[in-house]
Amino acid sequence: MKDSVLIETFRYVRRSRSAMFGLFVICFFVFIAVAAPLIAPHNPLVQNLKINLQPGFWADKRTYFLGTDNFGRDILSRIIYGARISLTVGFIAVIIGVLLGMTAGVVAGFLGGWVDNVIMRIVDIMFSLPSILLAIVIVAILGRGLDKAMIAIGITYAPQIARIVRSQTIVVSNSEFIEAARAIGTPSLRIMVVHVLPNILSVLIVYGTLSIGSAILDAAALGFLGLGAQPPTPEWGAMLADGIHSITGGYWWVETFPGIAILLTVLGFNLLGDGLRDATDPRLRRKA
């Protein structure tokens, strides 16, 4: 019996070293995010100015493995707790973007006509601004804060998803089984939900996975600008902003380790997303 698409995709991803490395990195950060209260050596919010900017293991300071920041807070503990915030922001922002973009793309691609023109013109207007600039404008309107940043990032991702979903919906809508459903009088809403959406889910999963890494990076950028997570929240972008002046004084660890955490997380999602894309696209699938 022929294996399901899900099983075939999993087998292909498992054969891809880069995708498996990306999955390992993601699982690692998810684990430390879930187990943060158990594995974090110190409270990430406690300040002690007597030990500020203390180096870590390279200077044989075992109490603070990665050193302390300019407020005397343990950097390792803040990175561990920051994984919770950064991953949550990435997932929720992408979910918001997928829901908005999926709805707009399916409606535009399936109904066509003036509905398609109106939705796509709105999408074109949103595309006229760079995504990070659009996110800054939205945060400026909604106000600062982590929840506002998630909404802003999600809205900026919606146009990209809408275009991809619209193109896939147009292809699926011209299929024979859709014509048959229309011929027997099936309501348009039921066709979109029951017949169209299941056939574009693979595209949404792949693009959503790739977008999570970018969303984490955008959240870090907003946090660095002071528009996302507010002090003393242990968010990786905000940690970079807090230590921007320390690096010029030779305290390189304050900026380096949060930056490495962002780099590895984004890399993990990108590698896994690339593997899923190759696995779900027959044109890109390599022979085993």
Side-chain angles (χ1 to χ4, degrees):
M1 185 174 66
K2 186 178 180 179
D3 293 330
S4 66
V5 176
L6 183 62
I7 295 176
E8 290 182 357
T9 301
F10 174 75
R11 286 177 177 173
Y12 181 85
V13 170
R14 191 173 59 180
R15 292 195 297 267
S16 173
R17 293 183 179 179
S18 59
M20 290 306 297
F21 175 75
L23 181 60
F24 170 78
V25 172
I26 294 171
C27 290
F28 171 75
F29 279 102
V30 169
F31 169 75
I32 67 172
V34 173
L38 300 177
I39 62 178
H42 301 280
N43 188 319
L45 303 179
V46 173
Q47 302 181 14
N48 186 355
L49 295 179
K50 294 181 180 179
I51 56 170
N52 68 314
L53 300 175
Q54 186 178 91
F57 66 90
W58 57 93
D60 201 23
K61 301 291 184 178
R62 306 191 179 196
T63 305
Y64 301 97
F65 187 72
L66 297 183
T68 60
D69 62 10
N70 51 339
F71 292 101
R73 298 172 297 197
D74 180 43
I75 292 178
L76 176 60
S77 299
R78 289 180 64 79
I79 290 176
I80 291 173
Y81 274 89
R84 280 184 163 187
I85 298 172
S86 295
L87 290 175
T88 300
V89 171
F91 279 110
I92 294 180
V94 169
I95 289 173
I96 293 173
V98 166
L99 290 176
L100 293 176
M102 178 183 66
T103 303
V106 170
V107 171
F110 187 81
L111 297 181
W114 67 268
V115 176
D116 184 20
N117 288 330
V118 171
I119 293 177
M120 286 300 102
R121 295 301 76 75
I122 295 174
V123 168
D124 290 339
I125 292 173
M126 296 180 70
F127 263 119
S128 64
L129 291 173
S131 59
I132 188 63
L133 181 58
L134 180 59
I136 292 174
V137 171
I138 296 173
V139 170
I141 296 173
L142 298 178
R144 299 184 181 185
L146 198 58
D147 54 343
K148 311 297 191 308
M150 288 187 288
I151 296 173
I153 295 171
I155 293 175
T156 61
Y157 279 52
Q160 307 171 34
I161 298 173
R163 276 192 172 179
I164 295 173
V165 171
R166 173 182 175 270
S167 63
Q168 294 295 316
T169 301
I170 291 174
V171 173
V172 174
S173 298
N174 293 325
S175 303
E176 293 181 358
F177 68 93
I178 297 294
E179 295 296 332
R182 285 171 171 164
I184 63 176
T186 305
S188 296
L189 180 60
R190 179 175 176 80
I191 295 176
M192 286 188 284
V193 174
V194 177
H195 299 291
V196 176
L197 280 180
N199 285 279
I200 63 174
L201 277 181
S202 60
V203 176
L204 286 173
I205 292 173
V206 172
Y207 192 80
T209 304
L210 287 168
S211 299
I212 292 174
S214 299
I216 292 174
L217 196 59
D218 290 342
L222 291 177
F224 182 82
L225 296 174
L227 300 174
Q230 300 298 304
T233 305
E235 192 269 333
W236 293 339
M239 291 175 65
L240 292 177
D242 290 340
I244 190 171
H245 299 295
S246 302
I247 194 170
T248 57
Y251 308 107
W252 53 268
W253 57 88
V254 181
E255 294 270 311
T256 300
F257 295 116
I260 291 176
I262 296 172
L263 171 66
L264 289 177
T265 306
V266 174
L267 178 64
F269 280 106
N270 287 345
L271 290 177
L272 180 60
D274 286 340
L276 289 173
R277 181 193 59 194
D278 294 349
T280 55
D281 191 341
R283 296 170 299 178
L284 299 176
R285 184 175 294 185
R286 300 183 295 271
K287 293 182 179 181

